[in-house]
Amino acid sequence: MKKIKAVIFDWAGTTVDYGCMAPVQAFVEVFKQYGIEPTMEEVRKPMGMLKIDHIRTMLQMERIRDLWVEKYGKEPGEEEAQALYSIFEEKLLSILPDHSGVKPGVVETVNRLRRNGILIGSTTGYNDKMMEIVVPAAKAQGYEPDVWFSPDSTGQKGRPYPYMIFRNMEALDIKKVRRVLKVGDTVSDIKEGRNAGVWSAGIVIGSSEMGLTEEEYNALAPEEQKKRCSEVSDRFLAAGADKIFYTMEDLGAFLLG
């Protein structure tokens, strides 16, 4: 992995929006609007997917499906998924400006990688309209990847499909998959990297998998922090991650020494 030519980062939970809070808040509000309150586990489990796929997955979860049938007299299908998604997109667009803060260590690490000739790509579960908010906000804080691709660029085939990674490789002129490292904060990110045949790594602290704000994480006792980090690492490894990094600084130290 020392001959990496490009690192492809995820966005929310990896490089921006510590804890990946924006989409979580939007998903919760959408389901509540339909009289169903999802648990954090139900909301977080599909994180990293294309957002419509995330909603489809949640609607097919046994508890949510049963509550839906109890309330509406039929199982939820594509019509219901599309109805929820239309509300979700509006809600997310309205709260994204408040959840586009760049995570600690990102700007410094990316600058180090660039100084050493490593290209910076990115993939996301957001669509282009959402990225029109996030990208300029991150740039104003000093973070701007060389390229980014959303599922809008791949016929709506988002994670865990590998196609956004391939679009990055094409744009960055990278020939060999084993010269690429995909870094993300969800199981879907790990699977995306695996399916593309690139190296795949998980970022632990500030991740969607951990699901804590920066304040919540810092308030934990050291032993509890260690326990939470270990649990997230185990989930990434079970999904097939080649490497685990607690922080962005850890990633920089591993690749550059």
Side-chain angles (χ1 to χ4, degrees):
M1 204 185 292
K2 293 290 186 179
K3 296 181 180 178
I4 292 297
K5 291 187 175 181
V7 178
I8 300 176
F9 290 107
D10 170 53
W11 284 78
T14 301
T15 53
V16 301
D17 188 8
Y18 194 110
C20 198
M21 295 300 172
V24 169
Q25 181 180 331
F27 283 125
V28 169
E29 289 181 9
V30 166
F31 275 83
K32 277 185 176 179
Q33 194 162 323
Y34 276 78
I36 293 171
E37 187 161 350
T39 66
M40 279 299 103
E41 183 181 356
E42 288 166 339
V43 173
R44 292 275 181 187
K45 191 170 184 180
M47 287 299 285
M49 287 182 170
L50 180 69
K51 301 313 177 199
I52 182 63
D53 289 341
H54 188 128
I55 289 173
R56 290 177 180 129
T57 301
M58 286 183 67
L59 284 172
Q60 293 308 311
M61 291 177 178
E62 185 176 359
R63 191 187 74 89
I64 291 176
R65 188 180 67 242
D66 289 348
L67 286 173
W68 193 282
V69 170
E70 183 181 320
K71 190 169 184 65
Y72 296 105
K74 65 171 185 174
E75 289 196 4
E78 185 60 19
E79 182 181 346
E80 289 75 17
Q82 293 294 339
L84 266 69
Y85 179 74
S86 66
I87 305 170
F88 169 83
E89 185 168 298
E90 290 177 17
K91 287 188 180 296
L92 184 57
L93 288 170
S94 72
I95 64 178
L96 269 177
D98 298 323
H99 293 274
S100 297
V102 174
K103 287 180 60 182
V106 169
V107 173
E108 297 81 2
T109 299
V110 166
N111 287 342
R112 279 193 70 202
L113 294 175
R114 280 203 171 111
R115 285 196 299 270
N116 284 271
I118 295 176
L119 300 169
I120 308 298
S122 61
T123 70
T124 181
Y126 289 158
N127 62 25
D128 286 354
K129 192 186 298 186
M130 297 163 190
M131 293 301 282
E132 287 172 8
I133 297 172
V134 177
V135 172
K139 182 178 179 180
Q141 298 167 75
Y143 173 61
E144 183 180 23
D146 299 317
V147 294
W148 62 265
F149 291 96
S150 83
D152 286 344
S153 67
T154 57
Q156 301 306 312
K157 286 186 167 62
R159 302 172 189 137
Y161 286 101
Y163 305 124
M164 289 189 291
I165 289 177
F166 295 150
R167 290 299 307 274
N168 273 265
M169 290 181 63
E170 178 183 31
L172 296 173
D173 194 25
I174 304 293
K175 299 181 182 69
K176 297 180 180 180
V177 292
R178 300 310 267 178
R179 295 291 180 265
V180 175
L181 172 63
K182 170 66 206 298
V183 180
D185 70 305
T186 67
V187 166
S188 291
D189 284 295
I190 303 301
K191 290 180 178 178
E192 177 192 28
R194 295 283 295 179
N195 289 339
V198 302
W199 297 104
S200 193
I203 287 282
V204 173
I205 296 175
S207 67
S208 175
E209 285 293 324
M210 185 170 286
L212 299 175
T213 66
E214 188 170 7
E215 293 75 18
E216 289 169 339
Y217 178 76
N218 289 336
L220 296 177
E223 281 305 309
E224 182 63 20
Q225 288 181 345
K226 184 177 179 181
K227 176 175 175 288
R228 295 289 187 97
C229 287
S230 178
E231 290 170 351
V232 172
S233 298
D234 287 346
R235 290 200 290 274
F236 285 150
L237 291 170
D242 297 294
K243 190 70 181 174
I244 304 296
F245 301 111
Y246 278 16
T247 66
M248 291 292 285
E249 291 90 343
D250 292 343
L251 182 153
F254 176 78
L255 289 181
L256 304 175

